[in-house]
Amino acid sequence: EPEVTQTPSHQVTQMGQEVILRCVPISNHLYFYWYRQILGQKVEFLVSFYNNEISEKSEIFDDQFSVERPDGSNFTLKIRSTKLEDSAMYFCASSDGQNTDTQYFGPGTRLTVL
Amino acid sequence: AQSVSQHNHHVILSEAASLELGCNYSYGGTVNLFWYVQYPGQHLQLLLKYFSGDPLVKGIKGFEAEFIKSKFSFNLRKPSVQWSDTAEYFCAVTTNTGNQFYFGTGTSLTVIP
């Protein structure tokens, strides 16, 4: 069964540094998402992406964040200047349609900002 | 704003006990409802989903959930849990205003052999 994959599984960075989290969505899916889960808190929506542009974003997704689909398979989340409070588990998800379709999640990348 | 509440943060059961995990949402319009499970060290996996039709939905591994519109609830049930059901369970909702998921805080289930 096809799966969403994410790399790296764990990223440690210094405050102020840029990080790029990578995701490979399921190949025939058209909608891509990023979520994050701060330790002990709920999974929060960050952004959705369709047709090479952002279709929805939350208040969390400020100017420090950006997403890109640099080629036909990868979907990346960039944090320009990391803050301590960016430490969280970041999940990528993909679906082949809109809100009536199931989103399939990757295993997550644990980001630790020191 | 839309929100999802899961009342039980941590549940501990013995094997063969029955399980019910609560989930309530706040949104007056059309919703799609999901339960996801996250086994230790693994990613979120879909257990079951409700879009329309029969409000009693059956999922994988013997789980079922019932959508009660009047109560804005979508509780997860299993008649007899196993040790392998130990995991984190998340209720999630999408609405007809967008395609983002709204997640509950999750319920950690520990099943004691």
Side-chain angles (χ1 to χ4, degrees):
Chain A
E1 187 178 325
E3 290 184 338
V4 176
T5 59
Q6 290 184 245
T7 54
S9 57
H10 194 182
Q11 172 93 43
V12 180
T13 190
Q14 296 287 328
M15 191 169 57
Q17 295 296 303
E18 174 184 285
V19 294
I20 297 176
L21 310 183
R22 301 180 194 279
C23 169
V24 179
I26 293 173
S27 62
N28 63 340
H29 283 183
L30 302 175
Y31 292 82
F32 315 113
Y33 312 84
W34 283 101
Y35 294 81
R36 78 170 186 192
Q37 185 181 25
I38 295 171
L39 189 64
Q41 299 184 25
K42 65 173 66 178
V43 177
E44 301 171 290
F45 170 77
L46 292 178
V47 66
S48 61
F49 191 85
Y50 170 70
N51 201 26
N52 282 322
E53 59 183 31
I54 291 172
S55 50
E56 258 184 288
K57 61 181 181 178
S58 70
E59 294 172 352
I60 303 167
F61 194 87
D62 60 21
D63 292 343
Q64 291 299 312
F65 291 89
S66 62
V67 289
E68 194 177 33
R69 189 153 163 81
D71 52 44
S73 59
N74 289 284
F75 178 52
T76 62
L77 174 69
K78 183 193 291 186
I79 308 175
R80 276 183 251 288
S81 177
T82 51
K83 304 187 282 280
L84 295 177
E85 53 266 36
D86 293 326
S87 294
M89 195 77 165
Y90 288 80
F91 293 101
C92 173
S94 70
S95 71
D96 58 10
Q98 289 190 309
N99 62 326
T100 56
D101 286 291
T102 303
Q103 294 180 22
Y104 294 85
F105 286 81
T109 293
R110 181 167 297 286
L111 176 64
T112 302
V113 182
L114 303 175
Chain B
Q2 296 88 334
S3 69
V4 179
S5 301
Q6 290 184 241
H7 320 297
N8 319 101
H9 296 294
H10 195 178
V11 173
I12 302 173
L13 295 173
S14 297
E15 274 195 318
S18 65
L19 170 73
E20 180 160 2
L21 302 182
C23 172
N24 287 88
Y25 64 92
S26 63
Y27 182 69
T30 302
V31 293
N32 303 305
L33 299 150
F34 303 79
W35 275 97
Y36 280 85
V37 61
Q38 188 175 27
Y39 297 103
Q42 297 188 30
H43 57 91
L44 289 163
Q45 299 172 41
L46 181 69
L47 264 183
L48 48 79
K49 59 187 177 183
Y50 172 80
F51 293 154
S52 63
D54 187 344
L56 183 62
V57 179
K58 294 195 185 299
I60 60 171
K61 304 188 181 187
F63 286 91
E64 65 178 33
E66 185 175 11
F67 171 48
I68 303 179
K69 191 174 180 180
S70 61
K71 295 184 178 180
F72 297 89
S73 71
F74 190 57
N75 292 356
L76 181 71
R77 299 195 292 251
K78 185 171 184 178
S80 176
V81 295
Q82 301 171 308
W83 174 79
S84 57
D85 293 324
T86 294
E88 190 92 12
Y89 291 81
F90 294 91
C91 181
V93 168
T94 62
T95 71
N96 57 2
T97 62
N99 55 4
Q100 62 165 288
F101 271 34
Y102 297 91
F103 280 91
T105 50
T107 297
S108 174
L109 172 65
T110 301
V111 179
I112 302 169

